[in-house]
Amino acid sequence: TIESSGELIIDQTGFVEADVNVNSISVSGKLKGNIEAKDKVEIGSTGQVTGDIKTPILKIDSGAKFSGNCIM
């Protein structure tokens, strides 16, 4: 599990396999795991997320891939 009171950024070449509990997250690479973000989740056009998301704000760019459930 990755925990932070700040923002987590996963760049295009990044790969994370863990559950994430943060204030906000921006994914342009790959993430396998569940996300809980207090502020927002952004998945960029090159981003791939496999797992469930819990957040008040979700932004998914065209071309992004998301497989899971979302609770807002």
Side-chain angles (χ1 to χ4, degrees), residues 3-61:
E3 295 185 13
S4 172
S5 59
E7 180 179 14
L8 177 63
I9 298 172
I10 302 172
D11 204 357
Q12 289 181 357
T13 59
F15 174 76
V16 174
E17 189 168 355
D19 290 337
V20 176
N21 188 340
V22 294
N23 189 52
S24 63
I25 183 169
S26 175
V27 181
S28 294
K30 295 180 182 179
L31 185 140
K32 287 186 180 181
N34 298 322
I35 300 171
E36 185 169 345
K38 293 176 184 160
D39 186 25
K40 66 181 175 180
V41 173
E42 295 182 358
I43 306 173
S45 62
T46 58
Q48 297 179 26
V49 174
T50 303
D52 296 338
I53 296 174
K54 182 178 179 183
T55 186
I57 299 171
L58 175 62
K59 178 184 174 198
I60 302 177
D61 288 348

